[in-house]
Amino acid sequence: MKTKPNLNVEAFEQNSVSNTMSCEFIQTLITNYRNNHLAFVKDRLGIDDAHSIHFDLDTLKKFISDIENETRKNAPNATDQDLGIRFYYAAYPKKEDWDIMKDTPIEAEYAERHTLVMVPTLKADDGEGNMLPYDFNPLSTTGEGELLAMASVRNGELRGNIISQNHGTLSPPSTQVTESF
């Protein structure tokens, strides 16, 4: 594989400008979410849902490193530019269905709340000359990785484990004292 983690902070600082948004713009987006989606969930479903999720940098860096390392082993022709991460909006099950969570450290106080599930992507030709970011399993040992969207179409369903990340700290139920928006 032609990719390797770049942990050289100086190189990042020299080669890029930090992504920024104004506080006003951020507040507008968050207020839109709270006034529309979050209010709808509370009013219509009766769920006091989460409005934010926090992942520490070590968790995110390890997730990215795992994607890069497993891709290097199992899809050696992939490049840094080919890899990405898709963030799926998700929700934890109801308390009465919590048995699906038995092998996780996630407690039932998270029942029915929004969360995110991160899944690796790999750009591949869609057959019409377009390079699209397909959900990707770097753990596949086929030599090309496994494009999950293509596999699910071929096989009818997905099985097994893939590199993925879930369960940051949701707010609520955790404290909101640390939030600015």
Side-chain angles (χ1 to χ4, degrees), residues 27-150:
Q27 187 64 63
T28 298
L29 296 178
I30 292 169
T31 299
N32 287 342
Y33 173 77
R34 288 181 178 164
N35 290 344
N36 295 303
H37 301 278
L38 198 60
F40 180 86
V41 169
K42 174 108 175 140
D43 295 345
R44 298 290 172 93
L45 302 176
I47 299 169
D48 187 19
D49 204 355
H51 62 263
S52 70
I53 187 168
H54 171 263
F55 292 93
D56 60 71
L57 282 179
D58 284 344
T59 298
L60 295 173
K61 286 178 181 180
K62 182 184 181 313
F63 180 58
I64 292 167
S65 177
D66 289 347
I67 293 168
E68 290 173 330
N69 291 333
E70 293 301 326
T71 301
R72 189 177 301 113
K73 289 190 281 186
N74 296 319
N77 293 325
T79 67
D80 282 346
Q81 294 74 28
D82 295 331
L83 296 173
I85 299 172
R86 186 176 325 279
F87 290 75
Y88 279 101
Y89 303 119
Y92 289 111
K94 294 179 178 183
K95 283 186 181 180
E96 58 265 22
D97 299 325
W98 204 253
D99 59 322
I100 194 172
M101 304 297 292
K102 70 178 182 255
D103 294 327
T104 74
I106 304 166
E107 297 181 22
E109 69 181 333
Y110 286 87
E112 298 185 76
R113 294 182 191 270
H114 281 99
T115 188
L116 294 174
V117 176
M118 293 177 255
V119 175
T121 63
L122 178 70
K123 287 182 184 171
D125 192 311
D126 69 351
E128 297 181 16
N130 301 306
M131 296 300 287
L132 302 177
Y134 288 90
D135 290 353
F136 168 64
N137 184 5
L139 295 176
S140 172
T141 58
T142 63
E144 295 298 323
E146 181 181 13
L147 299 176
L148 299 174
M150 291 179 174

